[in-house]
Amino acid sequence: MKLRMRKCGPTKAAPMFPAARTLTAHAVAACMITACIVLLAATLPAHAGDDQQNTAVRPGRTWFIDETGFHASAHANMSCADCHAEQADHQHPRADKLNKPASTAFDRETCLQCHGEVEDNLAKGMHGGKPVMKTQDYNNCVTCHNPHYVLAPEARAKGLRPAGDMSQSCGVCHKTQTDLPKPAPDVAACLSCHGLKTGKGIAAGVSASRPQGGSTAAPVAFNKGKEPQGPAMCLSCHGPESSAAAPAAVTPRISAEGMKSMTHGDMNCLTCHKDAARYPHNRQERVNCLTCHTRHDEKTIHDAHSNVSCGACHLSGVTPVLKDGKVDYAINSGPLNVHSMTLASGTASCVRCHSAAPVSTVARSADSGGSTSGFAGNGNVGAANAILPPKSVLCMGCHAATFSVQDTSGQIGLGVFVLVFAGMGLFWFSCANLGKGSPQKGTDGDAATGQSHACPAPHQHATGENRWVALCCDVFLQRRLYRESPLRWAVHALIFFPFLFRFVWGLLGLTGSLLSPAQEWPWLLLDKNWGAGAFLFDLSGLALLLGLLLAAVLWRREKSAVANAPRHDWLALYLLLGITLTGFVLEGMRIALTGMPEGSGYAFAGHALALGLAPLGQATLARIYGWGWYAHAVLTALTVAYIPFSQLRHMFTAPLFLLVQTIRGRH
């Protein structure tokens, strides 16, 4: 019996383990989704959460008292001096006590003067009608009881309960009133500083609704020209005429001139110094300017300055210092003028760090701006002595640059590039056969070596393949070159893909810093010491260097193997080698100059060079870094100007030709 066989294509073998194959696919999909979620979470702004955390008023530590909560407390009818007898000598505030922990301000004997029965009950093993707990510290009353807001038994019997905003519970004990009764004169005197409302706590961003818990800062309205709104609490120590209890040798003073010129002179002190009204006073964190402001783009400050704090540039009366690879600042002695943040015009404020002049010269040169107070040049903070321009559009092939050209060499190089290509473009687009007909045929030597100096060789893409997909494969994956010669493609890929990777990386960082400066991810891309970026940039740089060296070897082999070998552009190769080598040297100089900052070790090639350059010293590196930078910039400008005259022009002409062919349906 004959069996009729159906004619069909080649038979594919069934997978041996289909379930495992499906499970693997699901696992890969889950990993990809997880990675996307992690990356998305990393790009979300962290400022909102940080701001809420930084502005929270910790329980029992704020110096402000909610008048409404105090009015409803069991101690409302008492004088402040009944508990705070040490303040009756008018030596208040005492600077030596403000810097101690909050627990030192509590005295158990003060509570026992009125609540003596508590000690008797504790001796019997009872407290508050309940057995004592071995884990509880009953010697520190304020752990559980806030003396300013504790409710009396009578109020609790009426149904009054502790609340964040006690003004919403006025009707529990009596008829609702619009205003609180006026306190006794001695209590009113204390509340003039410590009152949440009368002491300007509201303006400081302390919420009246949650005096014992967290709070967020209130919106700040800027009214330039008004007198400073600092609370009396702050000015009693830091004002120009403070009390003898706060000696000037210990407490920084704000001069009258400094207060008038404050950039944020119309804001309350606690808007920025959110932890100032707490114990201990001297343990505050530095003000985070990025809570309200965003970073400057590189076009404005010539570099990302990722490791430089805002105050190192903007504050007067300070000296920049290098600490743990980051540039911070130290406040100078004398009147506290740090609140004058106006920078001098142009690059005059940059000489604080980018200068080799002595202190006296630098100070005189910046008197008009009032921003430079302490000298930190000569490599003291890892800055070059020269004030270098921002990286221009010519640098975009390798770096996160700017949409500007501020250096002379770059302007000349870009001008030559644009003029020559404009002339060539007019000629090309005026030709009637652009994109029509057959491309120019190469010579026999070109065919032998697999190189074509004319338009790209016509390779018809597969039937059914989208022509735009084919264009992307030919341009970004160099498919035509691979078909001609896999070896030449491999060498070309070592040169092409590092440039493509660095260009995309830099463009993402630049656009992100311009469009989303409050996000964190653009500044990671711009941070030269970020581990991932440092490693990938060094890896791509070494791949580029290897590709250029292999190209030189391949060209020499072709010259000796083929009698009529094609002409190679050695000048272009030497220029690219010069750019690559000077780039690595500059990277090593930067790492050594900045004191081997954290994360720079991932730039393994640059870090190795930095170890060899470190013996030169930071002063020498600061002096010669500018010369190295300009040497690198001049080589880049020469390369850009040479592109229209060299074989490098295929970087622009070949994709343009393929694009025209694709648009006309001939690709």
mmCIF file with all atom_site columns, all heavy atoms in Angstrom, residues 153-173:
data_model
loop_
_atom_site.group_PDB
_atom_site.id
_atom_site.type_symbol
_atom_site.label_atom_id
_atom_site.label_alt_id
_atom_site.label_comp_id
_atom_site.label_asym_id
_atom_site.label_entity_id
_atom_site.label_seq_id
_atom_site.pdbx_PDB_ins_code
_atom_site.Cartn_x
_atom_site.Cartn_y
_atom_site.Cartn_z
_atom_site.occupancy
_atom_site.B_iso_or_equiv
_atom_site.pdbx_formal_charge
_atom_site.auth_seq_id
_atom_site.auth_comp_id
_atom_site.auth_asym_id
_atom_site.auth_atom_id
_atom_site.pdbx_PDB_model_num
ATOM 1   N N   . PRO A 1 153 ? -7.072  65.414 83.822 1.00 0.00 ? 153 PRO A N   1
ATOM 2   C CA  . PRO A 1 153 ? -8.127  64.390 83.937 1.00 0.00 ? 153 PRO A CA  1
ATOM 3   C C   . PRO A 1 153 ? -9.517  64.956 83.687 1.00 0.00 ? 153 PRO A C   1
ATOM 4   O O   . PRO A 1 153 ? -10.380 64.258 83.140 1.00 0.00 ? 153 PRO A O   1
ATOM 5   C CB  . PRO A 1 153 ? -7.961  63.890 85.372 1.00 0.00 ? 153 PRO A CB  1
ATOM 6   C CG  . PRO A 1 153 ? -6.532  64.181 85.721 1.00 0.00 ? 153 PRO A CG  1
ATOM 7   C CD  . PRO A 1 153 ? -6.208  65.456 85.012 1.00 0.00 ? 153 PRO A CD  1
ATOM 8   N N   . GLU A 1 154 ? -9.768  66.206 84.109 1.00 0.00 ? 154 GLU A N   1
ATOM 9   C CA  . GLU A 1 154 ? -11.083 66.792 83.900 1.00 0.00 ? 154 GLU A CA  1
ATOM 10  C C   . GLU A 1 154 ? -11.397 66.922 82.413 1.00 0.00 ? 154 GLU A C   1
ATOM 11  O O   . GLU A 1 154 ? -12.531 66.665 81.975 1.00 0.00 ? 154 GLU A O   1
ATOM 12  C CB  . GLU A 1 154 ? -11.169 68.158 84.578 1.00 0.00 ? 154 GLU A CB  1
ATOM 13  C CG  . GLU A 1 154 ? -11.016 68.118 86.087 1.00 0.00 ? 154 GLU A CG  1
ATOM 14  C CD  . GLU A 1 154 ? -9.552  68.026 86.507 1.00 0.00 ? 154 GLU A CD  1
ATOM 15  O OE1 . GLU A 1 154 ? -8.679  68.118 85.607 1.00 0.00 ? 154 GLU A OE1 1
ATOM 16  O OE2 . GLU A 1 154 ? -9.288  67.849 87.707 1.00 0.00 ? 154 GLU A OE2 1
ATOM 17  N N   . ALA A 1 155 ? -10.397 67.309 81.614 1.00 0.00 ? 155 ALA A N   1
ATOM 18  C CA  . ALA A 1 155 ? -10.622 67.449 80.175 1.00 0.00 ? 155 ALA A CA  1
ATOM 19  C C   . ALA A 1 155 ? -10.866 66.097 79.526 1.00 0.00 ? 155 ALA A C   1
ATOM 20  O O   . ALA A 1 155 ? -11.720 65.960 78.643 1.00 0.00 ? 155 ALA A O   1
ATOM 21  C CB  . ALA A 1 155 ? -9.414  68.140 79.521 1.00 0.00 ? 155 ALA A CB  1
ATOM 22  N N   . ARG A 1 156 ? -10.147 65.096 79.986 1.00 0.00 ? 156 ARG A N   1
ATOM 23  C CA  . ARG A 1 156 ? -10.364 63.762 79.427 1.00 0.00 ? 156 ARG A CA  1
ATOM 24  C C   . ARG A 1 156 ? -11.752 63.241 79.794 1.00 0.00 ? 156 ARG A C   1
ATOM 25  O O   . ARG A 1 156 ? -12.392 62.543 78.997 1.00 0.00 ? 156 ARG A O   1
ATOM 26  C CB  . ARG A 1 156 ? -9.294  62.798 79.937 1.00 0.00 ? 156 ARG A CB  1
ATOM 27  C CG  . ARG A 1 156 ? -7.913  63.050 79.354 1.00 0.00 ? 156 ARG A CG  1
ATOM 28  C CD  . ARG A 1 156 ? -6.918  62.029 79.871 1.00 0.00 ? 156 ARG A CD  1
ATOM 29  N NE  . ARG A 1 156 ? -5.616  62.194 79.246 1.00 0.00 ? 156 ARG A NE  1
ATOM 30  C CZ  . ARG A 1 156 ? -5.266  61.636 78.080 1.00 0.00 ? 156 ARG A CZ  1
ATOM 31  N NH1 . ARG A 1 156 ? -6.143  60.876 77.431 1.00 0.00 ? 156 ARG A NH1 1
ATOM 32  N NH2 . ARG A 1 156 ? -4.076  61.828 77.575 1.00 0.00 ? 156 ARG A NH2 1
ATOM 33  N N   . ALA A 1 157 ? -12.206 63.601 80.992 1.00 0.00 ? 157 ALA A N   1
ATOM 34  C CA  . ALA A 1 157 ? -13.531 63.155 81.413 1.00 0.00 ? 157 ALA A CA  1
ATOM 35  C C   . ALA A 1 157 ? -14.617 63.761 80.540 1.00 0.00 ? 157 ALA A C   1
ATOM 36  O O   . ALA A 1 157 ? -15.672 63.154 80.325 1.00 0.00 ? 157 ALA A O   1
ATOM 37  C CB  . ALA A 1 157 ? -13.757 63.517 82.880 1.00 0.00 ? 157 ALA A CB  1
ATOM 38  N N   . LYS A 1 158 ? -14.374 64.956 80.035 1.00 0.00 ? 158 LYS A N   1
ATOM 39  C CA  . LYS A 1 158 ? -15.347 65.594 79.146 1.00 0.00 ? 158 LYS A CA  1
ATOM 40  C C   . LYS A 1 158 ? -15.290 65.053 77.712 1.00 0.00 ? 158 LYS A C   1
ATOM 41  O O   . LYS A 1 158 ? -16.107 65.426 76.881 1.00 0.00 ? 158 LYS A O   1
ATOM 42  C CB  . LYS A 1 158 ? -15.109 67.099 79.119 1.00 0.00 ? 158 LYS A CB  1
ATOM 43  C CG  . LYS A 1 158 ? -15.379 67.791 80.449 1.00 0.00 ? 158 LYS A CG  1
ATOM 44  C CD  . LYS A 1 158 ? -15.122 69.282 80.341 1.00 0.00 ? 158 LYS A CD  1
ATOM 45  C CE  . LYS A 1 158 ? -15.382 69.986 81.675 1.00 0.00 ? 158 LYS A CE  1
ATOM 46  N NZ  . LYS A 1 158 ? -15.104 71.443 81.581 1.00 0.00 ? 158 LYS A NZ  1
ATOM 47  N N   . GLY A 1 159 ? -14.317 64.210 77.437 1.00 0.00 ? 159 GLY A N   1
ATOM 48  C CA  . GLY A 1 159 ? -14.213 63.628 76.105 1.00 0.00 ? 159 GLY A CA  1
ATOM 49  C C   . GLY A 1 159 ? -13.122 64.234 75.246 1.00 0.00 ? 159 GLY A C   1
ATOM 50  O O   . GLY A 1 159 ? -13.003 63.875 74.070 1.00 0.00 ? 159 GLY A O   1
ATOM 51  N N   . LEU A 1 160 ? -12.309 65.141 75.799 1.00 0.00 ? 160 LEU A N   1
ATOM 52  C CA  . LEU A 1 160 ? -11.235 65.751 75.011 1.00 0.00 ? 160 LEU A CA  1
ATOM 53  C C   . LEU A 1 160 ? -10.095 64.750 74.847 1.00 0.00 ? 160 LEU A C   1
ATOM 54  O O   . LEU A 1 160 ? -9.690  64.093 75.796 1.00 0.00 ? 160 LEU A O   1
ATOM 55  C CB  . LEU A 1 160 ? -10.734 67.015 75.706 1.00 0.00 ? 160 LEU A CB  1
ATOM 56  C CG  . LEU A 1 160 ? -9.741  67.875 74.919 1.00 0.00 ? 160 LEU A CG  1
ATOM 57  C CD1 . LEU A 1 160 ? -10.381 68.408 73.655 1.00 0.00 ? 160 LEU A CD1 1
ATOM 58  C CD2 . LEU A 1 160 ? -9.218  69.021 75.782 1.00 0.00 ? 160 LEU A CD2 1
ATOM 59  N N   . ARG A 1 161 ? -9.602  64.619 73.661 1.00 0.00 ? 161 ARG A N   1
ATOM 60  C CA  . ARG A 1 161 ? -8.528  63.705 73.362 1.00 0.00 ? 161 ARG A CA  1
ATOM 61  C C   . ARG A 1 161 ? -7.402  64.452 72.640 1.00 0.00 ? 161 ARG A C   1
ATOM 62  O O   . ARG A 1 161 ? -7.654  65.443 71.947 1.00 0.00 ? 161 ARG A O   1
ATOM 63  C CB  . ARG A 1 161 ? -9.031  62.554 72.481 1.00 0.00 ? 161 ARG A CB  1
ATOM 64  C CG  . ARG A 1 161 ? -10.046 61.649 73.172 1.00 0.00 ? 161 ARG A CG  1
ATOM 65  C CD  . ARG A 1 161 ? -9.386  60.882 74.318 1.00 0.00 ? 161 ARG A CD  1
ATOM 66  N NE  . ARG A 1 161 ? -10.337 59.995 75.006 1.00 0.00 ? 161 ARG A NE  1
ATOM 67  C CZ  . ARG A 1 161 ? -11.027 60.331 76.073 1.00 0.00 ? 161 ARG A CZ  1
ATOM 68  N NH1 . ARG A 1 161 ? -10.902 61.550 76.585 1.00 0.00 ? 161 ARG A NH1 1
ATOM 69  N NH2 . ARG A 1 161 ? -11.846 59.474 76.640 1.00 0.00 ? 161 ARG A NH2 1
ATOM 70  N N   . PRO A 1 162 ? -6.155  63.994 72.808 1.00 0.00 ? 162 PRO A N   1
ATOM 71  C CA  . PRO A 1 162 ? -5.054  64.657 72.099 1.00 0.00 ? 162 PRO A CA  1
ATOM 72  C C   . PRO A 1 162 ? -5.285  64.631 70.589 1.00 0.00 ? 162 PRO A C   1
ATOM 73  O O   . PRO A 1 162 ? -5.716  63.617 70.027 1.00 0.00 ? 162 PRO A O   1
ATOM 74  C CB  . PRO A 1 162 ? -3.835  63.812 72.486 1.00 0.00 ? 162 PRO A CB  1
ATOM 75  C CG  . PRO A 1 162 ? -4.223  63.119 73.744 1.00 0.00 ? 162 PRO A CG  1
ATOM 76  C CD  . PRO A 1 162 ? -5.703  62.876 73.645 1.00 0.00 ? 162 PRO A CD  1
ATOM 77  N N   . ALA A 1 163 ? -5.029  65.748 69.969 1.00 0.00 ? 163 ALA A N   1
ATOM 78  C CA  . ALA A 1 163 ? -5.248  65.851 68.522 1.00 0.00 ? 163 ALA A CA  1
ATOM 79  C C   . ALA A 1 163 ? -4.139  66.690 67.921 1.00 0.00 ? 163 ALA A C   1
ATOM 80  O O   . ALA A 1 163 ? -3.523  67.525 68.598 1.00 0.00 ? 163 ALA A O   1
ATOM 81  C CB  . ALA A 1 163 ? -6.606  66.489 68.213 1.00 0.00 ? 163 ALA A CB  1
ATOM 82  N N   . GLY A 1 164 ? -3.869  66.465 66.657 1.00 0.00 ? 164 GLY A N   1
ATOM 83  C CA  . GLY A 1 164 ? -2.853  67.243 65.981 1.00 0.00 ? 164 GLY A CA  1
ATOM 84  C C   . GLY A 1 164 ? -3.192  68.713 65.952 1.00 0.00 ? 164 GLY A C   1
ATOM 85  O O   . GLY A 1 164 ? -2.352  69.567 66.235 1.00 0.00 ? 164 GLY A O   1
ATOM 86  N N   . ASP A 1 165 ? -4.446  69.029 65.659 1.00 0.00 ? 165 ASP A N   1
ATOM 87  C CA  . ASP A 1 165 ? -4.905  70.409 65.654 1.00 0.00 ? 165 ASP A CA  1
ATOM 88  C C   . ASP A 1 165 ? -5.997  70.536 66.706 1.00 0.00 ? 165 ASP A C   1
ATOM 89  O O   . ASP A 1 165 ? -7.159  70.210 66.468 1.00 0.00 ? 165 ASP A O   1
ATOM 90  C CB  . ASP A 1 165 ? -5.425  70.784 64.262 1.00 0.00 ? 165 ASP A CB  1
ATOM 91  C CG  . ASP A 1 165 ? -5.761  72.273 64.161 1.00 0.00 ? 165 ASP A CG  1
ATOM 92  O OD1 . ASP A 1 165 ? -5.554  72.986 65.161 1.00 0.00 ? 165 ASP A OD1 1
ATOM 93  O OD2 . ASP A 1 165 ? -6.215  72.712 63.091 1.00 0.00 ? 165 ASP A OD2 1
ATOM 94  N N   . MET A 1 166 ? -5.626  71.030 67.877 1.00 0.00 ? 166 MET A N   1
ATOM 95  C CA  . MET A 1 166 ? -6.563  71.099 68.998 1.00 0.00 ? 166 MET A CA  1
ATOM 96  C C   . MET A 1 166 ? -7.657  72.130 68.760 1.00 0.00 ? 166 MET A C   1
ATOM 97  O O   . MET A 1 166 ? -8.708  72.097 69.415 1.00 0.00 ? 166 MET A O   1
ATOM 98  C CB  . MET A 1 166 ? -5.799  71.414 70.287 1.00 0.00 ? 166 MET A CB  1
ATOM 99  C CG  . MET A 1 166 ? -6.604  71.223 71.554 1.00 0.00 ? 166 MET A CG  1
ATOM 100 S SD  . MET A 1 166 ? -7.147  69.512 71.782 1.00 0.00 ? 166 MET A SD  1
ATOM 101 C CE  . MET A 1 166 ? -5.575  68.740 72.216 1.00 0.00 ? 166 MET A CE  1
ATOM 102 N N   . SER A 1 167 ? -7.442  73.039 67.812 1.00 0.00 ? 167 SER A N   1
ATOM 103 C CA  . SER A 1 167 ? -8.468  74.058 67.549 1.00 0.00 ? 167 SER A CA  1
ATOM 104 C C   . SER A 1 167 ? -9.760  73.439 67.016 1.00 0.00 ? 167 SER A C   1
ATOM 105 O O   . SER A 1 167 ? -10.818 74.077 67.058 1.00 0.00 ? 167 SER A O   1
ATOM 106 C CB  . SER A 1 167 ? -7.941  75.091 66.545 1.00 0.00 ? 167 SER A CB  1
ATOM 107 O OG  . SER A 1 167 ? -7.649  74.484 65.297 1.00 0.00 ? 167 SER A OG  1
ATOM 108 N N   . GLN A 1 168 ? -9.683  72.201 66.494 1.00 0.00 ? 168 GLN A N   1
ATOM 109 C CA  . GLN A 1 168 ? -10.887 71.546 66.006 1.00 0.00 ? 168 GLN A CA  1
ATOM 110 C C   . GLN A 1 168 ? -11.708 70.920 67.140 1.00 0.00 ? 168 GLN A C   1
ATOM 111 O O   . GLN A 1 168 ? -12.793 70.401 66.896 1.00 0.00 ? 168 GLN A O   1
ATOM 112 C CB  . GLN A 1 168 ? -10.495 70.455 64.995 1.00 0.00 ? 168 GLN A CB  1
ATOM 113 C CG  . GLN A 1 168 ? -9.668  70.948 63.833 1.00 0.00 ? 168 GLN A CG  1
ATOM 114 C CD  . GLN A 1 168 ? -10.417 71.979 62.999 1.00 0.00 ? 168 GLN A CD  1
ATOM 115 O OE1 . GLN A 1 168 ? -11.636 71.855 62.784 1.00 0.00 ? 168 GLN A OE1 1
ATOM 116 N NE2 . GLN A 1 168 ? -9.707  72.999 62.524 1.00 0.00 ? 168 GLN A NE2 1
ATOM 117 N N   . SER A 1 169 ? -11.184 70.974 68.376 1.00 0.00 ? 169 SER A N   1
ATOM 118 C CA  . SER A 1 169 ? -11.876 70.333 69.517 1.00 0.00 ? 169 SER A CA  1
ATOM 119 C C   . SER A 1 169 ? -12.310 71.335 70.564 1.00 0.00 ? 169 SER A C   1
ATOM 120 O O   . SER A 1 169 ? -12.590 70.968 71.711 1.00 0.00 ? 169 SER A O   1
ATOM 121 C CB  . SER A 1 169 ? -10.948 69.288 70.164 1.00 0.00 ? 169 SER A CB  1
ATOM 122 O OG  . SER A 1 169 ? -10.500 68.353 69.224 1.00 0.00 ? 169 SER A OG  1
ATOM 123 N N   . CYS A 1 170 ? -12.369 72.612 70.193 1.00 0.00 ? 170 CYS A N   1
ATOM 124 C CA  . CYS A 1 170 ? -12.711 73.638 71.184 1.00 0.00 ? 170 CYS A CA  1
ATOM 125 C C   . CYS A 1 170 ? -14.104 73.418 71.779 1.00 0.00 ? 170 CYS A C   1
ATOM 126 O O   . CYS A 1 170 ? -14.337 73.675 72.971 1.00 0.00 ? 170 CYS A O   1
ATOM 127 C CB  . CYS A 1 170 ? -12.636 75.026 70.553 1.00 0.00 ? 170 CYS A CB  1
ATOM 128 S SG  . CYS A 1 170 ? -10.952 75.516 70.104 1.00 0.00 ? 170 CYS A SG  1
ATOM 129 N N   . GLY A 1 171 ? -15.028 72.950 70.986 1.00 0.00 ? 171 GLY A N   1
ATOM 130 C CA  . GLY A 1 171 ? -16.404 72.809 71.457 1.00 0.00 ? 171 GLY A CA  1
ATOM 131 C C   . GLY A 1 171 ? -16.598 71.704 72.456 1.00 0.00 ? 171 GLY A C   1
ATOM 132 O O   . GLY A 1 171 ? -17.691 71.561 73.019 1.00 0.00 ? 171 GLY A O   1
ATOM 133 N N   . VAL A 1 172 ? -15.590 70.898 72.744 1.00 0.00 ? 172 VAL A N   1
ATOM 134 C CA  . VAL A 1 172 ? -15.744 69.797 73.696 1.00 0.00 ? 172 VAL A CA  1
ATOM 135 C C   . VAL A 1 172 ? -15.861 70.333 75.118 1.00 0.00 ? 172 VAL A C   1
ATOM 136 O O   . VAL A 1 172 ? -16.657 69.836 75.927 1.00 0.00 ? 172 VAL A O   1
ATOM 137 C CB  . VAL A 1 172 ? -14.552 68.825 73.580 1.00 0.00 ? 172 VAL A CB  1
ATOM 138 C CG1 . VAL A 1 172 ? -14.635 67.742 74.662 1.00 0.00 ? 172 VAL A CG1 1
ATOM 139 C CG2 . VAL A 1 172 ? -14.509 68.199 72.187 1.00 0.00 ? 172 VAL A CG2 1
ATOM 140 N N   . CYS A 1 173 ? -15.086 71.357 75.432 1.00 0.00 ? 173 CYS A N   1
ATOM 141 C CA  . CYS A 1 173 ? -15.057 71.872 76.816 1.00 0.00 ? 173 CYS A CA  1
ATOM 142 C C   . CYS A 1 173 ? -15.884 73.142 76.978 1.00 0.00 ? 173 CYS A C   1
ATOM 143 O O   . CYS A 1 173 ? -16.421 73.394 78.057 1.00 0.00 ? 173 CYS A O   1
ATOM 144 C CB  . CYS A 1 173 ? -13.627 72.144 77.243 1.00 0.00 ? 173 CYS A CB  1
ATOM 145 S SG  . CYS A 1 173 ? -12.578 70.665 77.305 1.00 0.00 ? 173 CYS A SG  1
#
